Amino acid sequence: MTSEDRGAAGPYTEYDNLPALHAREKDLPLLHPYGTVEVGGRYVTPGGGRLTVRKDGKHLQITLDHLGCPAQLTPEKTALFERLGLAAEGHCLHAGCRHHVAAAGEVLRSFALRTGSIELITFVRAALAIELGDERPVDRLLKDTEALAGPVRRTGPKEHGSTAD
């Protein structure tokens, strides 16, 4: 275990071959792909991200932070996370509300998942699969969403950190 000071936000600690975590994050539970996910929970993912789930009205707000984890910030993974967001967004469109895939510099990914649509654990497992390089769960979710809501819009090239329209 090594520690480094990263200024006002530090100190960060590297442990268990995961990217550096802030000292207050080192005791977060490690999320297992077949484990449970609680609303109101915060976890460290197998790919080194921090996943937070909270209730926000008729939606679950799922945030995945990949700060300090360059392996998760590739254009390919960013495109897969956007497709995952589209799968959730299709259910919102079908229900009459609309949310956009959010990204803040492709480090912070935020999703609005309508309650009663995709099961939370299914959505989280798809996100974990992306971290580990498997796009099949995302493809299945997107296919199921399109069977329900019709074609969801595809995102094209966009400016760094903007939302798709």
Side-chain angles (χ1 to χ4, degrees):
M1 185 178 340
T2 62
S3 293
E4 64 180 83
D5 186 5
R6 292 190 181 177
Y12 282 77
T13 304
E14 293 182 15
Y15 78 107
D16 292 343
N17 296 317
L18 292 172
L21 300 173
H22 191 276
R24 70 177 181 270
E25 297 173 324
K26 70 179 181 56
D27 293 326
L28 289 176
L30 182 60
L31 184 59
H32 188 279
Y34 296 105
T36 59
V37 179
E38 301 293 328
V39 175
R42 184 158 165 80
Y43 307 89
V44 174
T45 66
R50 277 70 114 209
L51 182 107
T52 305
V53 180
R54 66 180 176 82
K55 180 87 169 147
D56 185 15
K58 294 181 180 180
H59 296 82
L60 296 175
Q61 187 65 37
I62 302 166
T63 306
L64 186 55
D65 167 4
H66 283 117
L67 180 67
C69 190
Q72 300 301 335
L73 307 180
T74 66
E76 296 81 14
K77 288 195 178 184
T78 297
L80 285 171
F81 280 115
E82 287 176 0
R83 288 174 53 210
L84 179 61
L86 288 173
E89 197 173 315
H91 285 273
C92 287
L93 178 64
H94 182 69
C97 61
R98 186 162 183 122
H99 300 278
H100 299 285
V101 177
E106 297 158 352
V107 173
L108 179 67
R109 296 173 170 109
S110 182
F111 307 94
L113 182 63
R114 187 165 179 89
T115 54
S117 62
I118 301 169
E119 288 186 44
L120 174 60
I121 191 64
T122 302
F123 188 86
V124 169
R125 284 181 185 156
L128 298 180
I130 292 170
E131 284 190 339
L132 301 175
D134 185 0
E135 63 187 70
R136 292 173 296 182
V138 174
D139 290 340
R140 282 192 298 271
L141 286 178
L142 199 50
K143 183 178 176 183
D144 291 347
T145 297
E146 289 181 333
L148 172 72
V152 291
R153 66 185 161 70
R154 300 286 188 239
T155 57
K158 62 181 184 175
E159 289 186 24
H160 190 70
S162 65
T163 56
D165 231 357

